Amino acid sequence: MRPTTVALIVAVASLTLMASAPSPSWTVTADRNGGSKCAVCTLLVALVEQTMQIKNATASQAAQMICSYLPKLAGDACSIAMDILVPIVGPLIDQGDTADAVCNALHLCNNESGQTCRLFPAKGAYKSHDAWAKHVNDLRVATMMRHRAKIEQGLRSFNICTIVPAVCEIEDHRPFFDTDSDMFSTYDALRGSFWRGKDCDDLDAQIFPGRDTNDAFLDSNCNGIYGVDPSTQKTYEDQWCAGTGSMGVASLGDSATAHFRLPADYLIARGLSKDVFKNVLRLIENEADWPMLSWSTGHLDASQFSPDVKGPMSSIYHRMLERNRCNMRDFQNVGVNGASVHNLLPFEGVLARNRNAGLSLKPIFVVMSMIGNDVCGHHHDFNEMTTVEQYHKDVLAAVKNADAMLPNGSHVLLVPLVDGRVLYDTMHDRIHPIGSTNNDVTYADLYDYLNCLDISPCWGWMNSNETVRNMTTEHAMKLGAELPIIVQETQGQLTNIKVHFLGNLIDDGLKRYHGPMWHLIEPVDGFHPSQTGNALLGDFVFNKSRDAGIIPPANPNNAEIIAKFGDQGGY
């Protein structure tokens, strides 16, 4: 796999160990003027500088404090790197050079495009753009001439593929630990049971969530319901689940589907501690995503992930389980950072619900929710956006393939792109977490900085140019307008599924919130729905789907199932 994507970089930019995190093989990595490595360096050095300020410490002391907060493997790698790098850049930090200047000195930032990117305000004699640009260029030349070999040695000291090797070996978004290759796992992270219902027998490829079986002796579908009722001689599965409309749910989407987020505490120097970073390796194993708390497949309480996440949890799956306990563990989240409609067909290939595999399977509700990346990306060019013709072609192909593979009685919901202008309108003048110590970095500053480095997750909407934002929305709306056309076009052609379009679900769902809109946006990247936003969307999309007749009626046997099987094995 290639080096880190923009989304993952933004998520873990405060951690040196993430500088070489992997990305899916189909993702295009841009980077100019230092790109992602520049961003990582700048945010890390900023945390060192802010820790110096708060703790009245030297650069070396502050750097070692931050390393000591990380889990052992990461902390050891961080310490080795800092032992090499701090003697080189420590004097620059101690004399008051900004994080931008220091990272230019390390040559992780440069001006290859002719533009010197800057996140923080320049200081002292270097406040003018020309003076600052000359200063950082002089630092870059002098430092690299004297210390190039040591700098390269320090940067090699932290490599995520050494610290968490499995992250670099995940292919095709399948569970890393899956002994029987049925695409379900007993391990939670690394695309395991946080992403798909937990396998209850990883040695038998015919036992997994979503099977349609009567389970007299074995729990073949992992919903925790099995055995025979001695009073009726019927299996509990037949007695309490058959004919109740039991149905799974799966989401094929992008980073908003996967619920990408980084705890804001990672970038607030005043609160850094071992407790803040205690779960960072789990974050890495989940690609900085939180599918177990997402709007489509959330199934755990956010309090289980304190202090990383706070807020309510509700999802389509959670509400479907409340409605029918026979749906236990029947969920799949195939959300991938950076995905677009072009990835829908490949994602269907890792959706474990192919009726042609020779096993009886329950119907499934598939949500196709590519809501941004067909107009988003790092390119400063509208021509790089998905065309209307290609968008129509890719979605139509995915719908037809779903009909060819999914069990009869399944449903597919097409979710259009959002109006992302809400991001800049809501966030631009607010202080970003990395600027919270000195109130010196706004989201507008961050957006422009990421665009300068050519690593913005969405140049079109995370942009201070209103015309660009409006044109991006205009194209997004044109793409979304193809979805009801596809629904109409496929009427009478589909034999196993029903396809639905229920309007601008994400936009309409977020508008129902009565508090400040910034509550609904992730504070670190200023781009994705927050935990509160995810819960709001989970309820809204479920209710709209229920009202449209997609969600079957409630199972009248739920009380009996709970009385007999309790939590049905949990997660």
Side-chain angles (χ1 to χ4, degrees):
M1 289 189 178
R2 294 184 293 174
T4 182
T5 62
V6 172
L8 196 51
I9 278 291
V10 174
V12 290
S14 65
L15 304 173
T16 55
L17 62 99
M18 291 303 292
S20 57
S23 70
S25 58
W26 45 264
T27 301
V28 176
T29 302
D31 289 14
R32 64 176 179 172
N33 301 322
S36 56
K37 290 182 179 179
C38 176
V40 170
C41 176
T42 301
L43 295 179
L44 176 63
V45 173
L47 288 176
V48 172
E49 292 181 338
Q50 292 167 14
T51 300
M52 291 171 58
Q53 176 184 339
I54 293 165
K55 303 289 188 180
N56 193 25
T58 65
S60 178
Q61 291 169 337
Q64 289 302 337
M65 282 183 202
I66 293 173
C67 290
S68 73
Y69 299 148
L70 299 175
K72 180 170 174 49
L73 285 176
D76 290 347
C78 178
S79 294
I80 292 171
M82 291 305 153
D83 286 343
I84 297 169
L85 297 176
V86 169
I88 300 171
V89 299
L92 301 178
I93 299 174
D94 287 333
Q95 74 186 19
D97 269 305
T98 65
D100 296 297
V102 171
C103 293
N104 271 274
L106 284 171
H107 219 271
L108 292 174
C109 303
N110 57 62
N111 62 348
E112 64 185 359
S113 72
Q115 182 179 10
T116 303
C117 307
R118 189 172 71 197
L119 180 61
F120 294 90
K123 296 180 180 178
Y126 308 115
K127 286 188 175 180
S128 76
H129 181 271
D130 290 343
W132 187 81
K134 182 180 185 305
H135 174 59
V136 297
N137 186 63
D138 291 344
L139 289 175
R140 188 185 305 125
V141 172
T143 304
M144 287 302 290
M145 286 179 63
R146 295 195 301 268
H147 303 293
R148 183 183 190 95
K150 283 190 174 181
I151 291 172
E152 291 176 350
Q153 178 188 359
L155 295 177
R156 286 194 299 269
S157 298
F158 42 86
N159 187 322
I160 190 60
C161 295
T162 299
I163 298 169
V164 190
V167 175
C168 300
E169 299 174 20
I170 296 176
E171 296 289 348
D172 300 325
H173 320 297
R174 301 168 183 261
F176 180 76
F177 296 108
D178 181 15
T179 306
D180 57 12
S181 300
D182 60 4
M183 290 193 280
F184 293 90
S185 177
T186 57
Y187 186 74
D188 51 16
L190 296 170
R191 292 273 162 177
S193 62
F194 282 157
W195 299 79
R196 302 167 185 251
K198 186 176 182 179
D199 201 342
C200 47
D201 187 343
D202 206 24
L203 298 177
D204 189 334
Q206 295 191 20
I207 296 178
F208 56 84
R211 287 286 315 277
D212 189 9
T213 61
N214 62 15
D215 291 344
F217 305 105
L218 294 173
D219 185 12
S220 299
N221 57 22
C222 302
N223 68 357
I225 302 171
Y226 61 96
V228 177
D229 184 343
S231 66
T232 64
Q233 295 303 305
K234 290 184 177 181
T235 66
Y236 292 111
E237 188 81 39
D238 279 342
Q239 186 165 285
W240 291 337
C241 296
T244 64
S246 180
M247 181 168 66
V249 62
S251 52
L252 312 180
D254 50 27
S255 51
T257 295
H259 188 8
F260 178 89
R261 79 174 307 275
L262 173 74
D265 290 347
Y266 284 18
L267 294 181
I268 300 176
R270 194 171 300 279
L272 295 182
S273 67
K274 284 183 177 291
D275 193 54
V276 165
F277 290 117
K278 67 181 181 181
N279 297 319
V280 68
L281 296 183
R282 179 181 65 196
L283 181 90
I284 297 168
E285 288 187 332
N286 281 303
E287 305 162 46
D289 294 324
W290 302 79
M292 61 293 206
L293 302 175
S294 69
W295 61 270
S296 60
T297 59
H299 54 281
L300 299 176
D301 194 296
S303 64
Q304 295 179 228
F305 302 95
S306 178
D308 295 345
V309 186
K310 299 179 179 67
M313 192 290 294
S314 189
S315 70
I316 299 172
Y317 165 74
H318 180 69
R319 296 287 302 277
M320 288 179 66
L321 178 62
E322 289 180 337
R323 203 166 175 85
N324 191 336
R325 297 299 304 184
C326 300
N327 294 333
M328 181 69 176
R329 295 191 187 179
D330 197 357
F331 63 89
Q332 301 179 55
N333 189 311
V334 191
V336 177
N337 303 335
S340 65
V341 292
H342 182 65
N343 302 109
L344 283 173
L345 272 179
F347 287 1
E348 288 179 338
V350 294
L351 181 62
R353 207 54 151 241
N354 192 333
R355 71 172 190 274
N356 303 309
L359 297 175
S360 181
L361 304 171
K362 294 182 181 181
I364 193 166
F365 175 26
V366 176
V367 182
M368 296 184 180
S369 53
M370 300 294 185
I371 66 171
N373 290 313
D374 288 282
V375 298
C376 283
H378 56 84
H379 297 289
H380 299 200
D381 189 349
F382 291 101
N383 292 327
E384 295 293 334
M385 297 177 179
T386 303
T387 65
V388 172
E389 294 75 19
Q390 189 63 49
Y391 183 87
H392 185 107
K393 178 181 177 181
D394 287 341
V395 176
L396 180 61
V399 168
K400 290 183 175 180
N401 186 61
D403 187 57
M405 65 174 281
L406 296 180
N408 187 267
S410 296
H411 294 263
V412 171
L413 174 62
L414 305 180
V415 179
L417 286 84
V418 299
D419 181 353
R421 290 177 296 185
V422 66
L423 301 173
Y424 192 89
D425 292 346
T426 301
M427 305 297 286
H428 72 278
D429 58 354
R430 295 187 58 79
I431 297 295
H432 187 270
I434 196 63
S436 61
T437 299
N438 297 304
N439 292 326
D440 55 357
V441 178
T442 65
Y443 283 88
D445 295 327
L446 176 71
Y447 295 162
D448 288 343
Y449 177 69
L450 296 178
N451 284 329
C452 181
L453 294 175
D454 207 13
I455 60 170
S456 173
C458 194
W459 166 77
W461 281 321
M462 299 167 72
N463 198 307
S464 55
N465 187 321
E466 183 178 10
T467 300
V468 170
R469 300 198 302 271
N470 289 339
M471 291 178 67
T472 302
T473 290
E474 181 180 349
H475 190 65
M477 296 304 104
K478 287 181 180 178
L479 296 182
E482 293 299 301
L483 299 184
I485 295 174
I486 291 171
V487 173
Q488 182 66 31
E489 182 179 336
T490 55
Q491 279 192 354
Q493 298 182 13
L494 307 175
T495 57
N496 292 292
I497 68 171
K498 291 184 179 179
V499 61
H500 309 265
F501 174 76
L502 303 179
N504 297 319
L505 286 172
I506 306 300
D507 290 341
D508 293 345
L510 295 179
K511 287 175 183 176
R512 293 174 63 85
Y513 187 65
H514 299 300
M517 284 299 294
W518 60 267
H519 286 176
L520 305 182
I521 299 173
E522 276 299 324
V524 169
D525 58 50
F527 183 58
H528 294 93
S530 67
Q531 185 59 45
T532 299
N534 269 267
L536 183 72
L537 290 174
D539 282 334
F540 183 77
V541 177
F542 172 85
N543 290 338
K544 294 286 285 187
S545 301
R546 177 199 60 202
D547 295 345
I550 298 172
I551 309 295
N555 185 346
N557 305 312
N558 284 335
E560 287 88 347
I561 294 172
I562 294 171
K564 175 67 178 178
F565 296 105
D567 70 356
Q568 298 168 248
Y571 295 102

